[in-house]
C-alpha cells in the first residue's frame, strides 16, 4: 500500500485486483469492498449496479459512493471517494510506437514533450498521458468524447504521483500513484483530495 499526500480534505482509495477470466466478478467484489470501507456497511448490504448513464454505481441504503472502474491486461482497478467525482484508468506497460500514436491523437505540446524523452522512456510517457486523459474523462463523466484525447494534461514529471491541475479545467486534478506489476495507473478528481491510497486486492 502506498499513500500520496496532497492538499485537500477527501481521500481517494484505489483497489487493484488480479483477474483470471473473471473480470466482472472481481470488479463487483472490489466495488463491494469499496462500499463497505467507505460507507461503513458490511459487504452484503452494499448494492452494486449501474446508473442511468451506464457508469458503475455503489450504494448502501440511501448513501451513494462515487466510483470509477478500469480494467487492463489481467487486472481490475476500482477508485472510490466519499464525496466528489473520481476517475481511474490503468494500462499495462508495453512497447508501442509512442510518437506516431501521439501525433495522431495528442495535443502538439504533448507530442513535443514525448518526442523530447529518451527513446526507451517514450512508451511509458505515452501511457502516462493516455491514462491521465482517460481518468479525467471519467471524472468529468464524458470519457474521451468531444476531443478528450486532445484535452491537454499536465506533463508527467517527477514526482509523478502528485495530483496536478489539468490545464483549462480549474477544479480537476490528475496524478499517477505508484502501482505494482508493470502497470501505469492514473487517478483524477473533480475537487481537492487529501491523499490517494492504493490497496492491493
Amino acid at each position: 500500500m502506498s499513500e500520496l499526500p496532497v492538499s485537500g480534505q477527501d481521500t481517494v482509495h484505489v483497489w487493484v485486483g488480479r483477474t483470471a477470466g473473471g473480470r466482472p466478478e472481481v470488479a463487483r467484489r472490489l466495488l463491494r469492498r469499496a462500499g463497505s470501507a467507505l460507507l461503513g456497511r458490511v459487504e452484503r448490504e452494499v448494492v452494486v449496479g449501474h446508473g442511468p448513464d451506464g457508469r458503475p454505481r455503489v450504494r448502501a441504503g440511501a448513501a451513494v459512493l462515487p466510483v470509477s472502474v478500469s480494467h487492463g491486461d489481467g487486472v481490475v482497478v476500482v477508485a472510490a471517494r466519499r464525496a466528489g467525482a473520481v476517475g481511474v484508468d490503468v494500462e499495462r506497460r508495453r512497447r508501442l510506437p509512442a510518437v506516431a500514436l501521439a501525433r495522431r491523437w495528442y495535443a502538439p505540446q504533448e507530442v513535443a514533450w514525448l518526442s523530447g524523452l529518451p527513446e526507451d522512456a517514450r512508451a511509458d510517457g505515452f501511457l502516462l498521458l493516455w491514462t491521465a486523459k482517460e481518468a479525467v474523462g471519467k471524472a468529468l463523466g464524458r470519457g474521451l468524447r468531444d476531443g478528450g484525447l486532445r484535452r491537454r494534461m499536465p506533463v508527467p514529471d517527477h514526482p509523478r504521483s502528485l495530483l496536478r491541475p489539468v490545464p483549462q479545467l480549474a477544479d480537476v486534478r490528475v496524478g499517477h500513484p505508484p502501482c505494482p506489476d508493470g502497470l501505469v495507473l492514473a487517478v483524477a478528481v473533480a475537487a481537492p483530495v487529501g491523499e490517494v491510497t492504493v490497496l492491493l486486492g
Side-chain angles (χ1 to χ4, degrees):
M1 177 171 69
S2 60
E3 293 186 1
L4 171 64
V6 293
S7 62
Q9 301 300 317
D10 198 6
T11 299
V12 174
H13 299 269
V14 180
W15 286 262
V16 179
R18 290 167 178 64
T19 63
R23 184 172 71 203
E25 184 50 43
V26 172
R28 280 191 295 276
R29 178 176 45 103
L30 294 177
L31 287 164
R32 278 192 200 93
R33 189 173 295 166
S36 177
L38 299 181
L39 297 175
R41 302 290 186 95
V42 295
E43 286 189 29
R44 69 177 177 275
E45 295 176 356
V46 175
V47 178
V48 174
H50 291 89
D53 59 0
R55 295 170 73 180
R57 175 185 243 164
V58 173
R59 64 180 178 78
V64 177
L65 182 68
V67 297
S68 182
V69 177
S70 182
H71 50 82
D73 182 22
V75 296
V76 173
V77 176
V78 167
R81 64 188 292 204
R82 286 186 177 90
V86 62
V88 69
D89 192 55
V90 67
E91 291 283 340
R92 185 150 314 267
R93 284 188 163 93
R94 62 190 182 277
R95 298 181 92 161
L96 47 81
V99 174
L101 291 171
R103 284 187 182 124
R104 182 174 176 188
W105 289 314
Y106 290 179
Q109 300 92 329
E110 294 168 333
V111 175
W113 172 78
L114 194 63
S115 298
L117 293 177
E119 191 168 337
D120 62 347
R122 290 179 182 165
D124 268 9
F126 179 89
L127 292 173
L128 288 165
L129 290 171
W130 182 276
T131 56
K133 290 170 188 286
E134 286 268 17
V136 167
K138 289 178 181 182
L140 294 173
R142 294 185 262 190
L144 294 178
R145 293 186 308 274
D146 302 323
L149 281 173
R150 293 257 181 218
R151 187 181 300 122
R152 280 188 40 227
M153 294 295 112
V155 173
D157 57 8
H158 297 285
R160 289 181 181 162
S161 56
L162 293 178
L163 290 175
R164 298 177 37 159
V166 175
Q168 300 158 349
L169 295 172
D171 293 335
V172 180
R173 300 192 178 294
V174 66
H176 295 87
C179 194
D181 296 333
L183 301 174
V184 177
L185 174 71
V187 174
V189 296
V193 65
E195 63 184 37
V196 176
T197 303
V198 177
L199 305 162
L200 304 181

